[in-house]
Amino acid sequence: YGDQEQTLNLLNLGQDVVQEAEFLRRLPYEIAQKLVKLQNPDAGVGIVSEKKLAPPQLQQSGMFPKEASDSLASLRNGIEASLTAPKDVDLSTGGPVGDDVDALIVYRPESLDEREVFEIDQALMKGKNVAIMLDNYATIEVDRFMSDSQPQLQQGRLKVRPIEHGLGD
């Protein structure tokens, strides 16, 4: 692309993807990923998410990690494959989204206050890309799984809880 180069190792991609149809499905995405990296080498992505710690029973079972997580490891790895590693952004401190963040991902916001919503709005006004991954209801939450969701699942019922995300208007 111009005088810039990115290497796409098709043999490694082929080994990761056993079936030819899957290989052909992934190939355009891999090429697009390389083009994004060439066109935006310094682009920064910020992620706003709440990291939760699983109850000890779930940590011991191996179902969830022992450290606090937001379950976005694969997303973070995908971003890092084509850009720099995404940065964690904490809107609760009241500060603006940094100038080094060109795209902001807000993952499952809950109880955003006016200041946090204002900072998201300001990021948009500055021309930053903002993606909000929003749930209106929570079904299974890592930190409440053992006490709330697991008994409901065993009884054949699934309990949902409305989420107040703070983005009504």
Side-chain angles (χ1 to χ4, degrees):
Y1 193 82
D3 61 345
Q4 301 177 45
E5 292 182 14
Q6 279 287 315
T7 303
L8 178 60
N9 189 330
L10 295 176
L11 292 176
N12 286 348
L13 180 62
Q15 290 173 356
D16 293 342
V17 181
V18 177
Q19 296 178 346
E20 182 181 358
E22 180 64 15
F23 173 79
L24 293 174
R25 185 192 68 77
R26 278 190 47 195
L27 185 59
Y29 296 102
E30 297 293 327
I31 293 170
Q33 180 180 355
K34 298 297 182 180
L35 287 172
V36 166
K37 187 169 183 123
L38 286 171
Q39 293 177 337
N40 305 292
D42 300 325
V45 176
I47 298 177
V48 177
S49 65
E50 182 181 349
K51 294 184 179 181
K52 295 182 177 183
L53 186 62
Q57 303 94 319
L58 292 180
Q59 292 176 17
Q60 292 170 356
S61 72
M63 290 175 62
F64 294 95
K66 295 184 181 199
E67 64 276 348
S69 172
D70 56 10
S71 302
L72 295 176
S74 61
L75 174 66
R76 291 175 192 278
N77 292 339
I79 292 169
E80 194 168 353
S82 57
L83 302 169
T84 59
K87 299 166 180 58
D88 286 321
V89 175
D90 185 6
L91 295 176
S92 66
T93 61
V97 175
D99 290 336
D100 57 344
V101 173
D102 300 302
L104 183 67
I105 298 171
V106 182
Y107 179 69
R108 298 183 74 186
E110 192 168 350
S111 303
L112 293 175
D113 62 24
E114 283 185 43
R115 180 69 186 171
E116 292 168 317
V117 173
F118 176 77
E119 291 306 331
I120 293 170
D121 181 60
Q122 289 302 298
L124 284 167
M125 297 295 283
K126 290 178 183 176
K128 298 177 188 289
N129 296 305
V130 176
I132 300 175
M133 299 177 183
L134 181 68
D135 286 339
N136 287 321
Y137 296 94
T139 52
I140 297 175
E141 298 174 82
V142 169
D143 55 343
R144 295 173 36 168
F145 184 79
M146 294 304 284
S147 62
D148 190 19
S149 299
Q150 193 176 41
Q152 296 293 327
L153 289 172
Q154 289 172 349
Q155 296 170 9
R157 298 181 306 186
L158 191 58
K159 186 176 178 183
V160 296
R161 176 181 65 86
I163 295 177
E164 295 296 329
H165 40 71
L167 295 171
D169 293 336

